[in-house]
Amino acid sequence: MTTAPGTILDPQLLRIGEVAKRTGVTTRTLRYWEEQGVLRPVEHRSSGERLYSDAEVDRITHIRELQDLLGFTLAEIRVALDTEDAIDKLRSAYRSGASPTRRRALLGDAIAANEQLLERVDDRLERVRAFRQSAAEKADRLRRRARELDAELEGRASSTRTPR
Amino acid sequence: MTTAPGTILDPQLLRIGEVAKRTGVTTRTLRYWEEQGVLRPVEHRSSGERLYSDAEVDRITHIRELQDLLGFTLAEIRVALDTEDAIDKLRSAYRSGASPTRRRALLGDAIAANEQLLERVDDRLERVRAFRQSAAEKADRLRRRARELDAELEGRASSTRTPR
DNA sequence: GAAGATGTTACCGTTCACGTAAAGGGAAAT
DNA sequence: ATTTCCCTTTACGTGAACGGTAACATCTTC
């Protein structure tokens, strides 16, 4: 089995191939995302090797959701995640005892960003619901007509079987 | 006002620019869609001019929904609409008195296609719901912490205003 | 110490869904 | 009659999001 490079590797950390395997995202894409500023590995070793944590794995699925479910571009995702990172900053600001006013400001930013996201999600949800509705109605109409047609066919068949 | 070209134009029919205006889709896109086989104008005049009916206008918004809401590619949309067209075929088959068995077959195809679409929509709907849920929860957490922080800040302020 | 697996950067290629001229035609308005 | 629209085809360009490959480094294993 291939283990860590050079110095001993923190078993918590994952190499890019392992991350790719776990998430189904190619290594190429992971590097591309880093280039686009949407996903930074926790560590870049001297050899250039990227190392990721579980947090990044979660983030990857999150990114894919933002892409697939909401149609965000990578640029939009970068912005969204940037403000989301403000929340993490907030936590560390809390631990490091930053001024409450500063913390309150960061929190405000995070809330605003989240609210904006939620709005967009709600909009999308509503539209998908409406679409689903019309599709379901169409399904009903089709099935009803199928039943009618089946009845008609049945009637014919029996009248053929028992003429007069 | 610009009216019809050459022979008198059926007032029901629309020229490409008008369709673009009504739908917000560019003329380039309409021609491209035609090239990709997702949207055929009702008529191609001898001059090459494309003419569309209201049905196409509806179809255009439908196509945009399939793209934006469900992330379909144009190729997928073409397939989906092809089977959807089977329904129209069905209607004309009905009027032209095609065999009920044939009609039943077409109807079956349409039902299957619609069912498949509905499945995909439901899946998407569920995932968007889940996403919305987690976003809403995060919003709650953030707001709660904001209230706590505000209370803390308020306490400070008042203790500063009234020392001892 | 050679092979094999996994990583790196660098760069070019590709697909999708259009955008953007360029060059021209037919009908309508002035 | 000429200008003005709106349309046409043809063809090349573009941005987003990767894919693929070459050339090289590093580390483990045989």
Side-chain angles (χ1 to χ4, degrees):
Chain A
M1 194 196 208
T2 314
T3 63
T7 30
I8 313 96
L9 170 62
D10 184 341
Q12 303 288 330
L13 297 182
L14 309 166
R15 300 176 72 190
I16 198 169
E18 180 61 25
V19 174
K21 236 175 247 170
R22 295 196 186 185
T23 60
V25 170
T26 68
T27 62
R28 177 67 180 86
T29 296
L30 292 175
R31 295 197 194 93
Y32 177 65
W33 285 1
E34 181 178 354
E35 191 185 317
Q36 298 299 311
V38 298
L39 183 80
R40 270 175 42 226
V42 268
E43 195 185 333
H44 258 285
R45 315 199 86 183
S46 49
S47 56
E49 199 180 349
R50 293 163 175 80
L51 295 175
Y52 302 83
S53 75
D54 285 354
E56 275 69 50
V57 173
D58 289 348
R59 192 171 176 135
I60 286 165
T61 69
H62 190 192
I63 292 173
R64 276 273 121 110
E65 282 178 339
L66 289 172
Q67 278 190 321
D68 300 344
L69 261 44
L70 302 174
F72 277 40
T73 69
L74 286 182
E76 292 173 314
I77 291 174
R78 185 168 51 73
V79 173
L81 295 189
D82 271 0
T83 24
E84 216 164 89
D85 285 348
I87 303 177
D88 296 355
K89 262 191 177 175
L90 184 71
R91 292 186 188 283
S92 67
Y94 181 70
R95 278 199 296 275
S96 66
S99 96
T101 348
R102 173 75 186 131
R103 279 158 49 202
R104 180 56 237 243
L106 287 171
L107 192 49
D109 288 356
I111 288 176
N114 195 273
E115 213 119 290
Q116 219 184 329
L117 175 66
L118 200 55
E119 252 178 61
R120 203 157 154 175
V121 174
D122 279 342
D123 174 76
R124 174 121 330 197
L125 189 55
E126 209 31 65
R127 284 165 60 200
V128 176
R129 258 205 268 267
F131 189 89
R132 195 228 117 90
Q133 172 77 7
S134 65
E137 281 166 8
K138 177 177 284 181
D140 277 355
R141 284 197 302 273
L142 289 175
R143 273 194 290 270
R144 203 161 31 239
R145 291 185 52 194
R147 275 200 305 278
E148 287 168 15
L149 231 169
D150 284 343
E152 187 186 329
L153 283 168
E154 181 48 37
R156 269 192 189 213
S158 58
S159 73
T160 306
R161 279 199 301 275
T162 60
R164 165 127 334 160
Chain B
M1 198 197 207
T2 314
T3 62
T7 29
I8 311 97
L9 168 63
D10 183 342
Q12 303 288 330
L13 298 182
L14 310 166
R15 301 176 72 188
I16 197 170
E18 181 61 24
V19 174
K21 236 176 245 168
R22 294 198 187 185
T23 60
V25 170
T26 67
T27 61
R28 174 63 177 97
T29 296
L30 292 175
R31 295 198 193 93
Y32 178 63
W33 285 1
E34 181 178 354
E35 191 186 318
Q36 298 300 309
V38 298
L39 183 80
R40 271 175 42 227
V42 267
E43 195 183 333
H44 257 286
R45 317 198 84 182
S46 50
S47 54
E49 199 180 350
R50 293 164 177 81
L51 295 175
Y52 303 83
S53 76
D54 285 353
E56 275 68 50
V57 172
D58 289 347
R59 192 174 178 132
I60 286 166
T61 70
H62 191 192
I63 292 173
R64 275 274 121 108
E65 282 177 338
L66 289 172
Q67 277 190 321
D68 299 345
L69 261 43
L70 300 171
F72 276 39
T73 68
L74 286 181
E76 292 173 314
I77 291 173
R78 184 168 51 74
V79 173
L81 295 189
D82 272 357
T83 23
E84 216 165 90
D85 285 347
I87 302 177
D88 296 355
K89 263 191 176 174
L90 183 71
R91 292 188 188 283
S92 67
Y94 182 70
R95 280 198 296 272
S96 66
S99 98
T101 347
R102 172 78 186 128
R103 276 157 53 200
R104 181 57 237 242
L106 288 171
L107 191 49
D109 288 356
I111 288 176
N114 195 274
E115 213 119 289
Q116 219 183 331
L117 176 66
L118 199 54
E119 252 177 60
R120 207 159 153 175
V121 175
D122 278 342
D123 174 76
R124 179 143 297 225
L125 189 56
E126 208 32 65
R127 285 165 60 200
V128 176
R129 268 210 197 98
F131 190 91
R132 197 229 116 92
Q133 173 76 7
S134 65
E137 282 166 7
K138 178 177 282 180
D140 278 355
R141 285 198 301 276
L142 289 175
R143 273 194 290 270
R144 205 164 27 242
R145 291 184 54 192
R147 275 201 305 279
E148 287 169 16
L149 231 170
D150 285 343
E152 187 185 330
L153 283 167
E154 180 49 36
R156 267 194 193 212
S158 58
S159 72
T160 306
R161 278 199 303 276
T162 58
R164 164 135 333 167

